[in-house]
Amino acid sequence: MPELPEVETVRRHLAERVEGDVIREVEVRLPRIVRHPAPVLFADRLRGQRIQRVDRRGKYLLFRLDTVLLVSHLRMEGRYEVAHPSEPELPHTHVVFQLASGRQLRYADVRQFGTMDAVVEGEPLPNGLAELGPEPFDPALDGAALHERLRHRRAPIKSLLLDQRQMAGLGNIYVDEALFAAGIHPLTPAGAVSRRQCDVLLREIRDVLARAIREGGSSVRSFRDGYGRHGGFQIQLAVYGRAGQPCVRCGQPIQKIKVAGRGTHVCPACQPVVSGMPVGTGVHA
């Protein structure tokens, strides 16, 4: 699933290409992609709307139109492209926006898990978006605020960081990378993470996300940006996807374990266990 750096990369490329353009028509080929309102009304709401700005909140893309907020979640493999109608479409193109410039904004999704909502004033935000926690780069979020969110929680720190209600935009890749950089084992009870460790952890979260954004995200599976290019950060990953390989710091083999059902990568030497950590985690190389 695209995480914050990948969605931010897509946002930047879409902003370059479609901001200021006007949606003339909308063709919804796979109705279940559209959650709200019904596909026909969805198309009616967007027709004639100018794309004022393309924003991001967590893993959501927000197309701010004249009077409508178009909320798009890419889920597993959703992908946008801007193309001329004469250019071949990507396979599994499910929604096509005809633009006044003569181009098309196309949404393709092999897995068909992506969603779109067209929200007008007075309507609630889609479930998920409304419950998001602070952005990692929010100036109001500091180590003390993060510690306050964690200090009464017994769940593993990784589970809490994956919870979009605690911090928006993080996923499996960048949580593993940030916890490694901070020297915190993913199974550490969240409440056992000290105030000082929260300072370090937040700093490392911001650092890994900033570096990933600069590289256009990570293409560990199928991610491509708005121009069809792969991300480049995957070659800098320190632990994610490196099970059995030597740690870049100490040389110990990276282990892969399960945390809340998610494959998780950890260096047993650089990320030591702490008391109170859950057992039976299914460690394997």
Side-chain angles (χ1 to χ4, degrees), residues 68-222:
V68 179
L69 176 65
L70 173 58
V71 180
S72 173
H73 199 308
L74 303 176
R75 300 296 173 184
M76 297 295 291
E77 296 195 30
R79 179 179 167 190
Y80 280 99
E81 68 166 349
V82 180
H84 189 273
S86 64
E87 297 179 67
E89 293 182 355
L90 292 171
H92 308 283
T93 294
H94 301 308
V95 183
V96 178
F97 303 86
Q98 304 287 345
L99 303 178
S101 63
R103 300 169 302 165
Q104 294 177 335
L105 173 62
R106 302 168 178 169
Y107 177 77
D109 193 338
V110 175
R111 302 286 291 275
Q112 303 179 5
F113 291 155
T115 60
M116 292 184 189
D117 296 81
V119 182
V120 297
E121 186 175 356
E123 293 182 336
L125 293 174
N127 291 337
L129 177 61
E131 292 83 23
L132 288 180
E135 291 282 319
F137 295 106
D138 186 342
L141 179 64
D142 58 15
L146 178 59
H147 185 250
E148 183 61 28
R149 286 177 170 270
L150 301 179
R151 69 189 186 96
H152 297 300
R153 306 297 296 270
R154 300 172 64 181
I157 181 62
K158 177 168 181 178
S159 298
L160 268 292
L161 292 178
L162 289 175
D163 184 346
Q164 300 300 292
R165 297 168 297 181
Q166 302 301 322
M167 189 181 301
L170 296 178
N172 215 31
I173 297 173
Y174 300 109
V175 169
D176 279 6
E177 291 295 302
L179 287 172
F180 169 76
I184 300 172
H185 196 287
L187 283 168
T188 303
V193 179
S194 70
R195 168 69 173 78
R196 185 192 65 80
Q197 286 179 308
C198 283
D199 286 336
V200 175
L201 177 57
L202 183 58
R203 183 187 70 217
E204 297 299 345
I205 287 171
R206 287 170 169 166
D207 177 70
V208 71
L209 292 177
R211 290 189 289 118
I213 290 170
R214 287 197 297 270
E215 296 298 327
S218 300
S219 290
V220 295
R221 292 184 179 87
S222 59

Side-chain angles (χ1 to χ4, degrees), residues 5-35:
E6 291 77 45
V7 179
E8 176 62 18
T9 298
V10 172
R11 183 205 69 77
R12 293 181 179 188
H13 293 157
L14 289 176
E16 290 176 357
R17 306 192 71 183
V18 303
E19 282 186 350
D21 216 330
V22 175
I23 299 172
R24 291 301 190 204
E25 294 291 341
V26 181
E27 180 185 359
V28 179
R29 300 174 181 172
L30 186 67
R32 71 167 173 266
I33 295 290
V34 175
R35 295 195 305 183

